[in-house]
Amino acid sequence: MQIVQVVRRTSAILAALALMAGCSSTPVDDGKVPITTKSEKAREQFVQARDFSERLRGVEALALLKRAVEQDSQFAQGYLLLAQVSPGAGEFFANLDKARKAATYATEAEQLMIQAFAAQVNSDLPAQEQALTQLATLRPNDERVQMLLGNYYFGLQRWPEAITHYQQAVAIDSNFSPVYNQLGYSYRFNERMAEAEAAFKKYIALIPDDPNPYDSYAELLMKLGRFEESIAQYERALKVQSTFPPSYFGIASNLNFLGRHAEAREKLQQFFDQAENDGQRRAAYAGMAISAVDEGNYELALQMLQKMYDVAAAKNDFAAMSGDVNLMGNVFLEMGRADDALKRFQETVDLQAKAENNSEQLIALVHLNSLYDAGRVALAKGDLATAKDNFAKYQTQADANKNRFQIWLGQQLAALIALQEQKWDAALAAIEKSNLQNPYNLCLLAETYRGLGDTAMAQEFFRKAADYNLVNSLNQSLARRRVATKAGGV
């Protein structure tokens, strides 16, 4: 499983300690980002937790971090990492808010880390890049800083730049295992499969007693369509750690691609039965919903999403509930139930407004995304005028925000509009400016080539969309269903 984006970023390294009992810590400057805390015990717990987090063992990290911030309520980095491993949206935002407030007690480098992460959460890419660039200028010889900057470019699908920063991290510390994971995924997405396999095998060699290296290699095998081999590697990960969540979802994804959906959901039920927190229980329901969509069983998918919602509702986790009803809206839209979809999309905005620790940017983002959602509903109803109006408003704001992800999403909506109008050249231009790592968009590209009369290219992209083989991805399942509808099969 890849270590990138919203909740799994880590950043700091153990500094030399020479402290007297009861005094505030002032670490020796070793060129790395300092860990500012007044508690030696909190420092030790943080370092252990960071190591667990970097190996995607979030449950172990969570317990340690909770104790660390009890030891030092002003521990900014402790709260930041606690946010990143929190199992629920409410806890995530609460801890991020505490990290921001505690940043005044931290060093400039730590403040920049918090600023970068907060900007990422708010989809403020220019602010995120600025903070990370400043951080790398301050601490160029910190392997974790180089990996953070690599992760930023990875998220933007700028693979060569990501690889450059990951290689810089390797040059600083050739035994820094997490960076080989990220290198493997970067090479994979850059279609450099032999190098990807080598990076994952190096990752396994460095930490053979951890589950994630086998999990990541299994994902590469799944991408290559080697499903049974992939399942075997996922099972190796579970032999190392029987509770490792990503491998359950990897096995389920392989089974979905093999058409064995009932078995996939049985595997996810096994995970649910041993879940250690509500975040894992919600993830299990989400995986079951994705499997049901892949099978074309939309009613079952909605039942699973409702169960996921109910877990969040029991804690009044409005941010999580907001995301859940948005997923329901997408399923309703695929079912052709446009009014039900619109109702859920409107609930997305209303529930997010009730969430704690909202920022103005986050609220603005939810409202912006509602234009995209409402535009798709308008298309489903045949209301081209409203769809075009929503697209124009959405794209204007996305361009002003200079946010690549928002621009990609707007271009997807533009492509859907052009396809409905049978304006094939306009559809092609829009799709080529959308996210082509999204298999749903590859399906739209296939439909466009078919409209242009290029049957061979249409079939090629229908195949690519169906066989993109993303792990536990609703976009992948929706793409496969669209291929089944538009091309007559998966």
Side-chain angles (χ1 to χ4, degrees):
M1 183 176 182
Q2 67 199 54
I3 310 172
V4 73
Q5 301 297 58
V6 177
V7 297
R8 288 199 167 93
R9 297 289 172 87
T10 58
S11 43
I13 192 167
L14 179 60
L17 305 176
L19 308 166
M20 295 185 296
C23 295
S24 296
S25 66
T26 307
V28 173
D29 190 345
D30 60 355
K32 313 296 184 180
V33 174
I35 303 170
T36 303
T37 176
K38 60 188 178 183
S39 166
E40 282 306 314
K41 187 64 175 177
R43 179 191 299 277
E44 293 171 7
Q45 291 164 337
F46 173 84
V47 171
Q48 292 172 3
R50 185 187 59 195
D51 181 58
F52 279 128
S53 177
E54 289 175 343
R55 291 184 284 145
L56 297 192
R57 295 168 62 175
V59 173
E60 291 111 315
L62 184 66
L64 284 163
L65 289 165
K66 285 181 176 179
R67 294 199 293 271
V69 296
E70 286 175 1
Q71 297 282 339
D72 180 2
S73 62
Q74 298 171 347
F75 191 1
Q77 265 201 82
Y79 284 119
L80 178 62
L81 187 53
L82 185 55
Q84 292 164 346
V85 301
S86 291
E91 298 163 82
F92 170 83
F93 285 108
N95 286 308
L96 179 56
D97 187 56
K98 290 176 182 178
R100 287 196 194 100
K101 291 176 179 176
T104 185
Y105 303 103
T107 62
E108 181 183 2
E110 292 167 292
Q111 291 172 9
L112 287 168
M113 284 167 38
I114 294 168
Q115 290 169 22
F117 188 75
Q120 179 192 340
V121 172
N122 289 322
S123 293
D124 189 345
L125 296 181
Q128 183 187 1
E129 182 175 25
Q130 181 180 14
L132 288 174
T133 302
Q134 289 178 334
L135 178 60
T137 301
L138 275 178
R139 300 288 170 171
N141 295 318
D142 188 327
E143 61 273 22
R144 288 177 172 85
V145 170
Q146 293 297 333
M147 192 169 83
L148 281 176
L149 201 50
N151 288 346
Y152 171 77
Y153 292 116
F154 183 102
L156 294 176
Q157 299 179 14
R158 290 161 60 176
W159 320 121
E161 289 160 283
I163 289 168
T164 294
H165 286 284
Y166 294 145
Q167 288 174 336
Q168 288 178 22
V170 168
I172 295 168
D173 183 356
S174 62
N175 292 318
F176 181 49
S177 64
V179 76
Y180 291 99
N181 191 37
Q182 290 305 104
L183 267 172
Y185 280 99
S186 298
Y187 287 135
R188 171 192 142 182
F189 285 116
N190 207 31
E191 301 295 330
R192 295 161 64 176
M193 298 304 185
E195 290 165 287
E197 188 163 8
F200 287 134
K201 287 184 175 179
K202 174 67 173 179
Y203 187 32
I204 291 172
L206 284 172
I207 48 173
D209 296 326
D210 263 48
N212 195 58
Y214 303 104
D215 182 280
S216 293
Y217 183 42
E219 193 171 341
L220 176 65
L221 294 171
M222 184 181 71
K223 176 67 177 176
L224 296 172
R226 294 157 60 179
F227 301 126
E228 296 293 353
E229 292 177 70
S230 175
I231 290 172
Q233 289 295 319
Y234 280 124
E235 293 289 5
R236 284 190 71 182
L238 292 176
K239 284 181 181 178
V240 174
Q241 183 183 331
S242 63
T243 58
F244 190 62
S247 292
Y248 285 92
F249 296 99
I251 292 171
S253 297
N254 276 295
L255 293 170
N256 288 333
F257 299 144
L258 289 166
R260 294 153 57 183
H261 297 92
E263 290 179 62
R265 293 191 288 274
E266 286 174 8
K267 195 68 179 181
L268 293 169
Q269 184 64 50
Q270 290 178 24
F271 174 65
F272 179 91
D273 292 341
Q274 65 180 23
E276 299 179 82
N277 54 54
D278 282 346
Q280 291 187 356
R281 282 181 274 275
R282 281 172 44 78
Y285 283 134
M288 293 178 196
I290 289 168
S291 175
V293 169
D294 195 81
E295 190 179 19
N297 190 341
Y298 295 121
E299 291 294 346
L300 178 60
L302 290 170
Q303 291 173 27
M304 295 300 103
L305 291 174
Q306 183 63 50
K307 288 177 180 289
M308 183 168 72
Y309 175 95
D310 291 342
V311 174
K315 291 187 172 182
N316 289 325
D317 190 343
F318 293 108
M321 293 157 65
S322 173
D324 296 345
V325 295
N326 190 269
L327 291 174
M328 294 178 195
N330 280 283
V331 174
F332 277 125
L333 200 58
E334 289 299 311
M335 295 172 73
R337 295 168 58 177
D339 289 332
D340 288 322
L342 183 61
K343 179 181 177 182
R344 298 308 185 279
F345 291 145
Q346 289 169 340
E347 288 177 7
T348 298
V349 177
D350 296 339
L351 286 166
Q352 184 62 50
K354 296 179 181 179
E356 296 181 2
N357 302 302
N358 273 324
S359 67
E360 290 183 7
Q361 288 172 303
L362 186 58
I363 291 293
L365 177 62
V366 172
H367 280 280
L368 177 61
N369 287 339
S370 72
L371 291 172
Y372 162 81
D373 290 329
R376 291 185 298 141
V377 170
L379 273 180
K381 292 184 171 185
D383 185 354
L384 278 165
T386 298
K388 289 179 178 180
D389 182 59
N390 280 24
F391 163 71
K393 292 175 180 176
Y394 181 95
Q395 198 65 38
T396 296
Q397 188 59 55
D399 289 338
N401 292 344
K402 298 180 181 179
N403 186 295
R404 191 175 188 181
F405 303 107
Q406 295 168 9
I407 292 168
W408 280 339
L409 208 57
Q411 290 303 311
Q412 184 195 75
L413 180 55
L416 288 166
I417 292 170
L419 283 171
Q420 189 150 318
E421 292 184 301
Q422 298 187 2
K423 294 182 177 179
W424 313 117
D425 289 334
L428 183 61
I431 293 168
E432 288 178 342
K433 290 185 286 187
S434 72
N435 180 9
L436 293 179
Q437 298 293 333
N438 181 345
Y440 196 84
N441 291 341
L442 296 180
C443 186
L444 300 184
L445 187 56
E447 294 171 44
T448 300
Y449 277 120
R450 185 168 60 188
L452 289 166
D454 192 335
T455 303
M457 287 292 283
Q459 290 303 313
E460 174 66 9
F461 279 100
F462 276 130
R463 184 195 62 77
K464 285 185 176 181
D467 296 340
Y468 203 74
N469 298 347
L470 292 178
V471 64
N472 199 44
S473 165
L474 182 61
N475 279 335
Q476 177 70 83
S477 291
L478 291 173
R480 282 164 57 83
R481 295 319 309 163
R482 192 170 180 108
V483 171
T485 301
K486 300 291 185 178
V490 173

Short mmCIF file of all heavy atoms in Angstrom, two decimals, residues 19-63:
data_model
loop_
_atom_site.label_atom_id
_atom_site.label_comp_id
_atom_site.label_asym_id
_atom_site.label_seq_id
_atom_site.Cartn_x
_atom_site.Cartn_y
_atom_site.Cartn_z
N LEU A 19 19.49 15.99 27.84
CA LEU A 19 18.55 16.81 28.58
C LEU A 19 18.56 16.48 30.06
O LEU A 19 18.80 15.34 30.44
CB LEU A 19 17.13 16.57 28.03
CG LEU A 19 17.03 16.74 26.51
CD1 LEU A 19 15.72 16.16 26.03
CD2 LEU A 19 17.10 18.20 26.15
N MET A 20 18.23 17.47 30.87
CA MET A 20 18.10 17.24 32.30
C MET A 20 16.64 16.96 32.62
O MET A 20 15.74 17.52 32.00
CB MET A 20 18.55 18.49 33.07
CG MET A 20 20.04 18.79 32.90
SD MET A 20 20.55 20.18 33.92
CE MET A 20 19.58 21.49 33.21
N ALA A 21 16.39 16.12 33.59
CA ALA A 21 15.02 15.76 33.96
C ALA A 21 14.25 17.01 34.34
O ALA A 21 14.73 17.87 35.06
CB ALA A 21 15.03 14.80 35.14
N GLY A 22 13.01 17.10 33.80
CA GLY A 22 12.11 18.20 34.15
C GLY A 22 12.32 19.45 33.33
O GLY A 22 11.60 20.42 33.50
N CYS A 23 13.32 19.47 32.42
CA CYS A 23 13.58 20.67 31.62
C CYS A 23 12.99 20.52 30.24
O CYS A 23 12.84 19.41 29.74
CB CYS A 23 15.07 20.93 31.49
SG CYS A 23 15.87 21.31 33.06
N SER A 24 12.70 21.63 29.56
CA SER A 24 12.24 21.58 28.17
C SER A 24 13.36 21.05 27.31
O SER A 24 14.53 21.34 27.54
CB SER A 24 11.83 22.98 27.70
OG SER A 24 10.73 23.42 28.43
N SER A 25 12.99 20.29 26.25
CA SER A 25 14.01 19.69 25.42
C SER A 25 14.48 20.65 24.35
O SER A 25 13.68 21.33 23.75
CB SER A 25 13.47 18.42 24.76
OG SER A 25 12.45 18.73 23.86
N THR A 26 15.78 20.70 24.15
CA THR A 26 16.36 21.50 23.08
C THR A 26 17.30 20.58 22.32
O THR A 26 18.49 20.47 22.64
CB THR A 26 17.13 22.71 23.63
OG1 THR A 26 16.27 23.44 24.50
CG2 THR A 26 17.60 23.61 22.48
N PRO A 27 16.80 19.87 21.30
CA PRO A 27 17.61 18.86 20.62
C PRO A 27 18.83 19.46 19.93
O PRO A 27 18.81 20.59 19.48
CB PRO A 27 16.64 18.27 19.57
CG PRO A 27 15.27 18.67 20.04
CD PRO A 27 15.44 19.95 20.77
N VAL A 28 19.89 18.67 19.90
CA VAL A 28 21.07 19.06 19.12
C VAL A 28 20.66 19.15 17.65
O VAL A 28 19.93 18.30 17.14
CB VAL A 28 22.18 18.02 19.30
CG1 VAL A 28 23.35 18.32 18.36
CG2 VAL A 28 22.65 18.01 20.75
N ASP A 29 21.11 20.18 16.95
CA ASP A 29 20.74 20.37 15.55
C ASP A 29 21.60 19.45 14.68
O ASP A 29 22.78 19.70 14.46
CB ASP A 29 20.95 21.83 15.15
CG ASP A 29 20.35 22.12 13.78
OD1 ASP A 29 20.04 21.16 13.06
OD2 ASP A 29 20.19 23.30 13.45
N ASP A 30 20.99 18.36 14.21
CA ASP A 30 21.71 17.38 13.38
C ASP A 30 21.32 17.50 11.91
O ASP A 30 21.61 16.62 11.12
CB ASP A 30 21.43 15.97 13.88
CG ASP A 30 19.94 15.62 13.84
OD1 ASP A 30 19.13 16.51 13.51
OD2 ASP A 30 19.59 14.46 14.13
N GLY A 31 20.69 18.59 11.55
CA GLY A 31 20.29 18.80 10.17
C GLY A 31 18.91 18.27 9.83
O GLY A 31 18.41 18.50 8.73
N LYS A 32 18.29 17.58 10.79
CA LYS A 32 16.96 17.05 10.57
C LYS A 32 15.92 17.99 11.19
O LYS A 32 16.26 18.90 11.94
CB LYS A 32 16.83 15.66 11.21
CG LYS A 32 17.98 14.71 10.91
CD LYS A 32 18.10 14.36 9.44
CE LYS A 32 19.21 13.33 9.22
NZ LYS A 32 19.37 12.97 7.80
N VAL A 33 14.65 17.76 10.87
CA VAL A 33 13.58 18.51 11.51
C VAL A 33 13.57 18.15 12.99
O VAL A 33 13.51 16.97 13.34
CB VAL A 33 12.21 18.20 10.88
CG1 VAL A 33 11.09 18.87 11.66
CG2 VAL A 33 12.17 18.66 9.42
N PRO A 34 13.64 19.13 13.89
CA PRO A 34 13.63 18.81 15.32
C PRO A 34 12.30 18.22 15.76
O PRO A 34 11.28 18.34 15.09
CB PRO A 34 13.85 20.18 15.98
CG PRO A 34 14.38 21.06 14.91
CD PRO A 34 13.79 20.57 13.62
N ILE A 35 12.31 17.59 16.92
CA ILE A 35 11.10 17.12 17.58
C ILE A 35 10.99 17.92 18.87
O ILE A 35 11.68 17.63 19.84
CB ILE A 35 11.15 15.61 17.88
CG1 ILE A 35 11.39 14.81 16.60
CG2 ILE A 35 9.87 15.15 18.57
CD1 ILE A 35 11.68 13.35 16.85
N THR A 36 10.14 18.93 18.88
CA THR A 36 10.07 19.83 20.01
C THR A 36 9.03 19.36 21.01
O THR A 36 7.82 19.34 20.71
CB THR A 36 9.72 21.26 19.54
OG1 THR A 36 10.69 21.69 18.59
CG2 THR A 36 9.70 22.22 20.72
N THR A 37 9.50 18.95 22.18
CA THR A 37 8.62 18.55 23.27
C THR A 37 9.34 18.75 24.58
O THR A 37 10.57 18.66 24.65
CB THR A 37 8.17 17.09 23.13
OG1 THR A 37 7.39 16.71 24.27
CG2 THR A 37 9.35 16.14 23.01
N LYS A 38 8.58 19.03 25.62
CA LYS A 38 9.16 19.20 26.94
C LYS A 38 9.24 17.88 27.71
O LYS A 38 9.69 17.86 28.85
CB LYS A 38 8.36 20.22 27.74
CG LYS A 38 6.90 19.85 27.96
CD LYS A 38 6.14 21.00 28.58
CE LYS A 38 4.64 20.65 28.75
NZ LYS A 38 3.89 21.80 29.29
N SER A 39 8.80 16.79 27.08
CA SER A 39 8.76 15.50 27.76
C SER A 39 9.62 14.47 27.03
O SER A 39 9.39 14.19 25.85
CB SER A 39 7.31 14.99 27.85
OG SER A 39 7.27 13.63 28.21
N GLU A 40 10.60 13.92 27.73
CA GLU A 40 11.42 12.86 27.13
C GLU A 40 10.58 11.63 26.80
O GLU A 40 10.78 10.98 25.78
CB GLU A 40 12.55 12.48 28.09
CG GLU A 40 13.70 13.46 28.10
CD GLU A 40 14.25 13.68 26.70
OE1 GLU A 40 14.47 12.71 25.96
OE2 GLU A 40 14.45 14.84 26.34
N LYS A 41 9.63 11.31 27.68
CA LYS A 41 8.78 10.16 27.44
C LYS A 41 7.94 10.37 26.19
O LYS A 41 7.78 9.45 25.37
CB LYS A 41 7.86 9.93 28.66
CG LYS A 41 7.05 8.64 28.58
CD LYS A 41 7.95 7.42 28.60
CE LYS A 41 7.14 6.14 28.65
NZ LYS A 41 8.01 4.94 28.58
N ALA A 42 7.41 11.57 26.03
CA ALA A 42 6.61 11.88 24.83
C ALA A 42 7.46 11.74 23.57
O ALA A 42 6.99 11.23 22.55
CB ALA A 42 6.03 13.28 24.92
N ARG A 43 8.72 12.18 23.66
CA ARG A 43 9.61 12.06 22.51
C ARG A 43 9.82 10.59 22.13
O ARG A 43 9.72 10.22 20.96
CB ARG A 43 10.97 12.71 22.82
CG ARG A 43 11.97 12.61 21.68
CD ARG A 43 13.36 13.03 22.14
NE ARG A 43 13.36 14.40 22.60
CZ ARG A 43 13.46 15.45 21.79
NH1 ARG A 43 13.56 15.27 20.48
NH2 ARG A 43 13.45 16.67 22.27
N GLU A 44 10.09 9.76 23.12
CA GLU A 44 10.30 8.34 22.86
C GLU A 44 9.06 7.71 22.24
O GLU A 44 9.15 6.92 21.29
CB GLU A 44 10.65 7.63 24.17
CG GLU A 44 12.00 8.03 24.75
CD GLU A 44 12.20 7.47 26.15
OE1 GLU A 44 11.34 6.66 26.59
OE2 GLU A 44 13.20 7.84 26.80
N GLN A 45 7.90 8.05 22.79
CA GLN A 45 6.66 7.49 22.26
C GLN A 45 6.40 7.96 20.84
O GLN A 45 5.93 7.19 19.98
CB GLN A 45 5.50 7.86 23.19
CG GLN A 45 5.57 7.17 24.54
CD GLN A 45 4.67 7.80 25.58
OE1 GLN A 45 4.30 8.97 25.48
NE2 GLN A 45 4.33 7.02 26.61
N PHE A 46 6.71 9.22 20.56
CA PHE A 46 6.52 9.77 19.21
C PHE A 46 7.40 9.03 18.20
O PHE A 46 6.95 8.66 17.11
CB PHE A 46 6.83 11.27 19.19
CG PHE A 46 6.81 11.86 17.81
CD1 PHE A 46 5.63 12.28 17.23
CD2 PHE A 46 7.99 11.98 17.07
CE1 PHE A 46 5.61 12.81 15.94
CE2 PHE A 46 7.98 12.50 15.79
CZ PHE A 46 6.78 12.92 15.23
N VAL A 47 8.66 8.84 18.55
CA VAL A 47 9.59 8.19 17.62
C VAL A 47 9.13 6.76 17.33
O VAL A 47 9.16 6.30 16.18
CB VAL A 47 11.03 8.23 18.17
CG1 VAL A 47 11.95 7.37 17.32
CG2 VAL A 47 11.53 9.67 18.20
N GLN A 48 8.69 6.06 18.36
CA GLN A 48 8.17 4.71 18.15
C GLN A 48 6.92 4.74 17.27
O GLN A 48 6.77 3.91 16.36
CB GLN A 48 7.85 4.06 19.50
CG GLN A 48 9.06 3.75 20.35
CD GLN A 48 8.67 3.29 21.75
OE1 GLN A 48 7.50 3.15 22.07
NE2 GLN A 48 9.67 3.05 22.59
N ALA A 49 6.05 5.71 17.54
CA ALA A 49 4.81 5.81 16.77
C ALA A 49 5.09 6.17 15.32
O ALA A 49 4.44 5.64 14.39
CB ALA A 49 3.89 6.86 17.40
N ARG A 50 6.05 7.06 15.10
CA ARG A 50 6.39 7.44 13.74
C ARG A 50 6.90 6.24 12.95
O ARG A 50 6.57 6.05 11.78
CB ARG A 50 7.44 8.55 13.75
CG ARG A 50 7.78 9.10 12.37
CD ARG A 50 8.93 10.07 12.45
NE ARG A 50 10.11 9.44 12.99
CZ ARG A 50 11.17 10.11 13.45
NH1 ARG A 50 11.16 11.43 13.44
NH2 ARG A 50 12.22 9.47 13.93
N ASP A 51 7.69 5.42 13.61
CA ASP A 51 8.20 4.21 12.97
C ASP A 51 7.04 3.28 12.59
O ASP A 51 7.00 2.75 11.48
CB ASP A 51 9.17 3.51 13.90
CG ASP A 51 9.76 2.26 13.28
OD1 ASP A 51 10.38 2.37 12.21
OD2 ASP A 51 9.60 1.17 13.86
N PHE A 52 6.09 3.10 13.50
CA PHE A 52 4.91 2.28 13.20
C PHE A 52 4.12 2.89 12.03
O PHE A 52 3.69 2.19 11.12
CB PHE A 52 4.00 2.15 14.41
CG PHE A 52 4.42 1.11 15.40
CD1 PHE A 52 4.55 1.42 16.75
CD2 PHE A 52 4.68 -0.20 15.00
CE1 PHE A 52 4.93 0.46 17.67
CE2 PHE A 52 5.07 -1.17 15.91
CZ PHE A 52 5.20 -0.83 17.26
N SER A 53 3.93 4.21 12.07
CA SER A 53 3.15 4.88 11.03
C SER A 53 3.79 4.73 9.66
O SER A 53 3.11 4.49 8.66
CB SER A 53 2.99 6.36 11.37
OG SER A 53 2.30 7.05 10.35
N GLU A 54 5.12 4.85 9.61
CA GLU A 54 5.83 4.71 8.34
C GLU A 54 5.74 3.30 7.79
O GLU A 54 5.92 3.09 6.59
CB GLU A 54 7.29 5.13 8.52
CG GLU A 54 7.46 6.63 8.71
CD GLU A 54 8.89 7.03 9.01
OE1 GLU A 54 9.70 6.17 9.38
OE2 GLU A 54 9.19 8.23 8.88
N ARG A 55 5.44 2.36 8.66
CA ARG A 55 5.24 0.97 8.22
C ARG A 55 3.76 0.63 8.13
O ARG A 55 3.39 -0.55 8.06
CB ARG A 55 5.98 0.03 9.19
CG ARG A 55 7.50 0.16 9.08
CD ARG A 55 8.23 -0.83 9.96
NE ARG A 55 8.21 -0.44 11.37
CZ ARG A 55 8.13 -1.30 12.38
NH1 ARG A 55 8.04 -2.59 12.16
NH2 ARG A 55 8.15 -0.87 13.62
N LEU A 56 2.92 1.68 8.12
CA LEU A 56 1.47 1.55 7.97
C LEU A 56 0.83 0.70 9.07
O LEU A 56 -0.13 -0.02 8.83
CB LEU A 56 1.09 1.00 6.59
CG LEU A 56 1.47 1.88 5.40
CD1 LEU A 56 0.80 1.38 4.14
CD2 LEU A 56 1.13 3.34 5.64
N ARG A 57 1.37 0.80 10.25
CA ARG A 57 0.81 0.11 11.40
C ARG A 57 0.19 1.17 12.32
O ARG A 57 0.67 1.49 13.40
CB ARG A 57 1.89 -0.72 12.09
CG ARG A 57 2.39 -1.85 11.18
CD ARG A 57 3.64 -2.52 11.67
NE ARG A 57 3.45 -3.18 12.96
CZ ARG A 57 4.40 -3.94 13.54
NH1 ARG A 57 5.55 -4.14 12.90
NH2 ARG A 57 4.18 -4.50 14.70
N GLY A 58 -0.90 1.73 11.81
CA GLY A 58 -1.50 2.89 12.44
C GLY A 58 -2.10 2.63 13.80
O GLY A 58 -2.12 3.52 14.65
N VAL A 59 -2.62 1.42 14.04
CA VAL A 59 -3.24 1.14 15.33
C VAL A 59 -2.20 1.22 16.45
O VAL A 59 -2.45 1.82 17.50
CB VAL A 59 -3.92 -0.25 15.32
CG1 VAL A 59 -4.40 -0.62 16.71
CG2 VAL A 59 -5.09 -0.24 14.35
N GLU A 60 -1.02 0.63 16.22
CA GLU A 60 0.05 0.71 17.22
C GLU A 60 0.50 2.16 17.41
O GLU A 60 0.78 2.60 18.53
CB GLU A 60 1.24 -0.15 16.82
CG GLU A 60 0.96 -1.64 16.86
CD GLU A 60 0.91 -2.28 15.49
OE1 GLU A 60 0.29 -1.70 14.59
OE2 GLU A 60 1.51 -3.36 15.35
N ALA A 61 0.59 2.90 16.31
CA ALA A 61 1.00 4.30 16.40
C ALA A 61 -0.01 5.12 17.19
O ALA A 61 0.37 5.99 17.99
CB ALA A 61 1.17 4.88 14.99
N LEU A 62 -1.27 4.85 16.98
CA LEU A 62 -2.33 5.63 17.60
C LEU A 62 -2.24 5.59 19.12
O LEU A 62 -2.31 6.63 19.79
CB LEU A 62 -3.69 5.10 17.14
CG LEU A 62 -4.94 5.84 17.60
CD1 LEU A 62 -4.98 7.24 17.01
CD2 LEU A 62 -6.20 5.07 17.20
N ALA A 63 -2.07 4.40 19.67
CA ALA A 63 -2.01 4.27 21.13
C ALA A 63 -0.82 5.03 21.71
O ALA A 63 -0.94 5.71 22.74
CB ALA A 63 -1.94 2.79 21.50
#
